[in-house]
């Protein structure tokens, strides 16, 4: 059921990777939800397990619908295939506007929040040219380059805004009107629940969606430590093209984008530079079609936490502790890095 999938996705500690593995293991969300308390008890952390109620999930869906949005789940036919190829594709997104825009040929355009006037003008004109060439322009609705990209794209076509918080908490507040325009002339995508005020940890998650929806990412004016560089890295990791606009080496806002050029990003001075390199990407787009039917196949054989002896559980717990450092580590990252099944890891870590 849709409600069960939303409850599973909203359970704290069940990240995108764990969500997929739970569905593969148990076959459906309802069965996975039933299994979570036992897994938590096996890990000795049953008191920390909080599964959203069916009524709270229904409220979220109703509120989303009242705001004109739709909950889009990973196995929905309208879920963008290119995004679903990510290992950590969002299990559920709230989409406000034209859902079809998410599956159109897209290019991302990102850059500095405190961009120069020239950088913003270039981003706006480049986005307009790309939209006029039939591409949907994807960005993050931040100040500066992102906002300029959305505005330019709306002049000639569609744009998609991927936001870090809930749709009802526009961020930055100055872009609230722009967010509403995008919902009317494209789509706004929010992975976070309604009412979520964006925090620093939410932005890399948003950035993976920007990169995942796009055939390529264009970076305009990015400092060396910039969220735009995270988006570019995520694009490379997922076989997307990376473009960068050259800038003055005397301006620190260009050091990150210039460094991308040094590392082999495509030099971009106009939309023609992007279109030239995306021709092959457009032809490859059919390769991104995921086998979502695999989520409904019989679950693979995995050991459950209940199948492990106390000695084995102690050994597994010790090995997981060795993977931890002084900073918090997501359960999904532990699953990727260890030899144990998701059921065992989640039981030890809490669920």
């Amino acid at each position: 059921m849709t409600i069960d999938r939303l409850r599973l996705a909203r359970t704290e500690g069940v990240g995108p990777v764990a969500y997929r593995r739970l569905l593969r293991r148990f076959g459906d969300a309802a069965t996975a939800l039933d299994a979570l308390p036992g897994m938590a008890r096996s890990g000795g952390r049953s008191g920390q397990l909080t599964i959203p109620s069916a009524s709270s999930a229904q409220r979220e869906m109703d509120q989303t619908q009242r705001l004109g949005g739709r909950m889009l789940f990973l196995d929905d036919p309208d879920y963008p295939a290119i995004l679903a190829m990510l290992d950590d594709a969002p299990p559920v997104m709230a989409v406000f506007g034209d859902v079809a825009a998410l599956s159109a040929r897209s290019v991302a355009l990102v850059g500095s929040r405190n961009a120069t006037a020239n950088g913003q003008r270039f981003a706006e004109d480049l986005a307009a040219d790309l939209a006029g060439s039939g591409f949907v322009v994807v960005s993050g609705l931040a100040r500066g380059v992102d906002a300029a990209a959305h505005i330019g794209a709306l002049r000639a076509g569609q744009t998609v805004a991927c936001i870090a918080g809930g749709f009802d908490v526009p961020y930055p507040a100055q872009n609230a009107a722009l967010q509403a325009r995008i919902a009317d002339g494209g789509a706004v995508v929010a992975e976070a629940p309604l009412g979520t005020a964006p925090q620093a940890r939410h932005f890399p998650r948003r950035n993976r969606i920007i990169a995942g929806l796009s055939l390529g990412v264009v970076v305009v004016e990015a400092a060396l430590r910039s969220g735009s560089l995270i988006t570019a890295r995520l694009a490379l990791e997922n076989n997307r093209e990376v473009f960068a606009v050259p800038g003055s080496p005397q301006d620190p806002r260009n050091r990150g984008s210039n460094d991308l050029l040094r590392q082999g990003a495509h030099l971009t001075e106009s939309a023609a530079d992007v279109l030239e390199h995306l021709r092959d990407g457009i032809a490859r787009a059919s390769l991104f079609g995921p086998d979502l039917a695999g989520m409904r196949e019989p679950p693979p054989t995995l050991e459950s936490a209940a199948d492990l002896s106390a000695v084995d559980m102690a050994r597994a717990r010790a090995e997981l502790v060795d993977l931890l450092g002084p900073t918090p580590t997501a359960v999904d990252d532990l699953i990727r890095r260890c030899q144990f099944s998701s059921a065992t890891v989640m039981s030890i870590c809490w669920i």
Side-chain angles (χ1 to χ4, degrees):
M1 288 179 59
T2 300
I3 294 297
D4 291 329
R5 284 182 290 166
L6 182 57
R7 293 174 65 204
L8 183 62
R10 296 294 190 233
T11 298
E12 186 178 354
V14 177
V17 174
Y19 176 91
R20 281 200 187 203
R21 295 193 178 187
L22 284 167
L23 286 189
R24 288 195 180 104
R25 175 174 176 76
F26 295 107
D28 59 70
T31 306
L33 287 169
D34 289 341
L36 288 181
M39 296 168 68
R41 284 193 297 273
S42 297
R45 301 192 178 187
S46 57
Q48 300 178 31
L49 177 65
T50 303
I51 300 174
S53 66
S55 60
S56 67
Q58 186 64 61
R59 277 196 303 274
E60 181 181 350
M61 296 191 68
D62 292 343
Q63 291 170 355
T64 299
Q65 188 173 13
R66 281 195 295 271
L67 290 171
R70 169 186 169 186
M71 306 299 290
L72 192 63
F73 291 88
L74 184 58
D75 56 351
D76 283 344
D78 291 334
Y79 195 97
I82 192 171
L83 179 62
M85 285 298 293
L86 272 61
D87 290 338
D88 57 351
V92 59
M93 304 181 292
V95 181
F96 301 83
D98 183 6
V99 173
L102 306 185
S103 296
R105 297 180 306 172
S106 300
V107 59
L109 206 166
V110 297
S112 176
R113 286 178 168 82
N114 64 333
T116 63
N118 285 339
Q120 292 181 60
R121 184 171 63 251
F122 182 88
E124 184 174 335
D125 291 342
L126 178 61
D129 290 342
L130 290 169
S133 298
F135 281 85
V136 169
V137 175
V138 182
S139 197
L141 200 63
R143 291 185 295 270
V145 167
D146 287 20
H150 291 306
I151 292 169
L154 287 172
R155 282 168 27 198
Q158 284 190 311
T159 185
V160 171
C162 302
I163 61 177
F167 179 79
D168 56 342
V169 189
Y171 182 86
Q174 69 191 63
N175 284 346
L178 178 57
Q179 177 178 293
R181 284 182 60 198
I182 294 169
D184 288 336
V188 178
V189 177
E191 183 180 12
L194 291 170
T196 301
Q199 301 175 22
R201 60 188 173 88
H202 296 145
F203 289 94
R205 293 169 62 85
R206 176 208 63 178
N207 292 347
R208 88 188 193 286
I209 301 176
I210 294 174
L213 285 172
S214 309
L215 291 168
V217 172
V218 184
V219 179
V220 181
E221 292 190 352
L224 281 174
R225 293 186 177 182
S226 165
S228 299
L229 298 189
I230 295 176
T231 307
R233 174 179 59 78
L234 293 169
L236 282 173
E237 290 176 355
N238 289 283
N239 196 33
R240 306 322 198 246
E241 302 289 345
V242 174
F243 306 83
V245 177
S248 169
Q250 295 179 319
D251 190 333
R253 285 170 290 196
N254 292 317
R255 290 178 183 168
S257 42
N258 285 347
D259 190 55
L260 287 175
L261 292 170
R262 190 177 296 112
Q263 296 179 53
H266 302 300
L267 187 147
T268 303
E269 296 178 320
S270 69
D273 296 320
V274 179
L275 297 173
E276 174 188 355
H277 291 286
L278 283 187
R279 298 299 178 194
D280 291 339
I282 295 170
R284 291 199 310 266
S286 61
L287 299 178
F288 288 110
D291 180 17
L292 292 182
M295 295 188 64
R296 293 181 289 275
E297 292 173 355
T301 301
L302 295 173
E303 82 278 8
S304 69
D307 295 332
L308 297 179
S309 67
V311 173
D312 289 335
M313 283 293 286
R315 178 177 62 83
R317 184 177 291 105
E319 291 191 22
L320 289 177
V321 169
D322 287 340
L323 293 174
L324 299 177
T327 58
T329 302
V331 175
D332 282 358
D333 289 337
L334 290 177
I335 293 172
R336 292 191 191 99
R337 295 171 184 272
C338 75
Q339 61 182 342
F340 305 109
S341 71
S342 57
T344 298
V345 174
M346 290 186 292
S347 292
I348 293 171
C349 291
W350 145 99
I351 50 172

